[in-house]
Each structure stands twice: as C-alpha cells, then as structure tokens.
C-alpha cells in the first residue's frame, strides 16, 4: 500500500522525485505570498479601473504558475508540450491600467519562484517588491498635477451668480483657477471650467451640490483624479 501511494503521489524526473509534501509546500507558499500581493493591490489601487476579478486572479494565477512549474520540472519535453497546449488559449481581456499588468507579472514571478522550489527567493522578493510598491503609493511618486480635479458647468451671465460660485469655491477649495470661459448655446449662457484643489477631497460631492443648488446652474460635472461626480 505504501508503495502504491509513493508511485501515485511521486513524480519522477531526470534529477529526482517531487513528493506530495513538496507540491503542497510550494502551492501553500504561492498562495500565502500571492495573498500579500492581492492585499497590496486592493489597498493601493486608485481610480475607476479597479476590478475584483483582477485581485482574485492574482491569487489564482500564482498557484497555477507554480503548479505548471512543478509539472515541467527540468524536462524540456514537458516544457515544450505545455507551451504548445497553453499557446492554444487566447486572452482578449483588455487591461485598463498599466499597474494591473505589473501586479499580474508580479504574481507570475512569485508562482515561478515557488514552483521551482525557490521559496526563500519568492518570500524575500515578495516582501521587497511589496515594500517598494507601498512606498511609491504613499509618496505618490511621479505625480505632476497641482490640482485635484476639474469642475465644469453652464450658467447665465450674472455678476451676482459668479460671486456666489466663487464663494462656494473658496469655502471648499484651497486653490482654484479658471481654465476657460466661453459662450455656450443660443441662450447666451456661459460655460465655465475651473481647476480645483480641494481642502478635503471628501467634500467634493458637497461642492458639486452647493454649486448645482445655485439658480441657473446646469450641466455641472466634477471630474476628480480618482472619481467622477455628476449630480
């Protein structure tokens, strides 16, 4: 009976045997490390392109890659066979954010390291790269904009109304600047576009509501760096 299970759970290759313990050890390592990657992705992702399926894919992909690497081992024949089989699969899902691609490659790399039994390299690499990605997120590395968003609306030409608009902007914005002002439509209404830097980004909806409540305001939209608000 013991020999039966040894034959069933063991995979012999050119350099030795991969036991069921080794397989479980590699898969568990891939699962734990990919959970860290997915957690960081969920916590640091900004914008409208966030997808739950990407977060789940990061975990599953690492496990699948680890399993593939365990099956391939040191066999060139297996590698070409799996390459040919996987080449039949066509992926047509567009990736909206380049950071999603980074995390997917990260998950693949961890799966490869775990599948080749380089668990120490997988663990250290995961910790270091996660720390770097967290740092880039915290310091907002590469950010160039000095404003948080853009508010655009139409209103009739009225000096009193413009003063009320400026009062609302002063109440909620640390900085604002008029990008353009032009006549829009045959009703002599004016279209305004302001760049704004919020005192508190959590009050962006309140700013939009206060401007919309003014008489004559129409077609207001507030486009923030991370969200779009259209009351």
């Amino acid at each position: 009976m013991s020999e039966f299970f040894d034959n069933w759970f063991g995979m012999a290759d050119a350099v030795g045997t991969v036991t069921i313990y080794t397989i479980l050890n590699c898969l568990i390592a891939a699962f734990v490390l990919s959970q860290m990657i997915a957690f960081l992705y969920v916590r640091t992702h900004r914008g409208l392109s966030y997808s739950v399926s990407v977060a789940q894919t990061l975990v599953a992909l690492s496990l699948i890659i680890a399993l593939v690497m365990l099956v391939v081992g040191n066999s060139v024949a297996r590698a070409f066979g799996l390459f040919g089989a996987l080449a039949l699969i066509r992926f047509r899902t567009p990736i909206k954010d380049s950071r999603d691609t980074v995390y997917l490659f990260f998950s693949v790399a961890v799966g490869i390291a775990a599948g080749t039994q380089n668990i120490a390299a997988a663990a250290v690499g995961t910790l270091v790269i996660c720390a770097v990605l967290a740092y880039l997120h915290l310091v907002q590395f590469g950010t160039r904009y000095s404003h948080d968003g853009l508010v655009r609306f139409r209103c009739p030409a009225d000096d009193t109304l413009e003063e009320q608009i400026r009062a609302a902007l002063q109440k909620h914005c640390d900085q604002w600047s008029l990008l353009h002002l032009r006549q829009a439509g045959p009703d002599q209404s004016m279209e305004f576009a302001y760049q704004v830097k919020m005192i508190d980004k959590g009050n962006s909806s309140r700013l939009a509501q206060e401007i919309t409540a003014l008489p004559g305001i129409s077609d207001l939209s507030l486009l923030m760096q991370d969200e779009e608000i259209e009351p």
Side-chain angles (χ1 to χ4, degrees):
M1 182 64 69
S2 176
E3 183 180 355
F4 170 78
F5 282 106
D6 288 341
N7 292 333
W8 183 259
F9 291 115
M11 293 193 305
D13 57 22
V15 296
T17 301
V18 179
T19 64
I20 185 65
Y21 173 79
T22 302
I23 296 171
L24 289 175
N25 192 36
C26 293
L27 292 179
I28 291 172
F31 174 74
V32 172
L33 297 174
S34 62
Q35 281 278 331
M36 295 175 59
I37 299 171
F39 176 79
L40 182 66
Y41 171 80
V42 173
R43 297 294 297 178
T44 62
H45 197 286
R46 302 176 64 185
L48 300 175
S49 63
Y50 172 76
S51 173
V52 176
S53 62
V54 173
Q56 297 174 352
T57 298
L58 292 173
V59 179
L61 183 62
S62 184
L63 287 166
I64 294 170
I65 294 296
L67 181 61
V68 169
M69 297 305 298
L70 283 167
V71 171
V72 170
N74 293 323
S75 172
V76 176
R78 291 178 192 169
F80 278 105
L82 284 171
F83 177 79
L86 295 175
L88 297 176
I89 303 175
R90 295 291 184 269
F91 297 98
R92 291 291 184 265
T93 303
I95 299 177
K96 299 178 181 179
D97 194 328
S98 59
R99 289 171 298 184
D100 293 353
T101 307
V102 171
Y103 278 94
L104 289 171
F105 274 113
F106 189 8
S107 181
V108 169
V110 169
I112 292 174
T116 54
Q117 304 179 46
N118 293 313
I119 296 177
V124 173
T126 299
L127 292 175
V128 171
I129 296 174
C130 282
V132 171
L133 292 174
Y135 162 78
L136 294 176
H137 170 73
L138 290 174
V139 303
Q140 297 185 358
F141 182 82
T143 300
R144 296 181 59 185
Y145 57 85
S146 59
H147 292 80
D148 296 324
L150 176 71
V151 59
R152 189 189 301 269
F153 55 87
R154 293 174 61 179
C155 70
D158 186 335
D159 292 339
T160 302
L161 182 58
E162 291 183 26
E163 290 179 2
Q164 293 175 326
I165 294 170
R166 286 193 291 270
L169 291 171
Q170 185 174 3
K171 178 180 178 181
H172 295 286
C173 301
D174 184 39
Q175 300 175 16
W176 73 89
S177 59
L178 181 64
L179 284 184
H180 78 256
L181 171 63
R182 66 183 180 88
Q183 183 176 335
D187 56 352
Q188 304 299 315
S189 63
M190 307 298 292
E191 182 180 80
F192 290 81
Y194 285 93
Q195 271 191 326
V196 296
K197 184 174 180 60
M198 304 294 298
I199 297 174
D200 181 1
K201 288 186 179 181
N203 290 332
S204 56
S205 296
R206 190 173 301 174
L207 171 63
Q209 292 169 359
E210 289 189 13
I211 295 179
T212 304
L214 297 175
I217 299 294
S218 62
D219 300 332
L220 183 141
S221 64
L222 177 57
L223 179 64
M224 305 297 290
Q225 293 291 336
D226 301 323
E227 59 183 341
E228 185 175 356
I229 302 170
E230 295 184 354

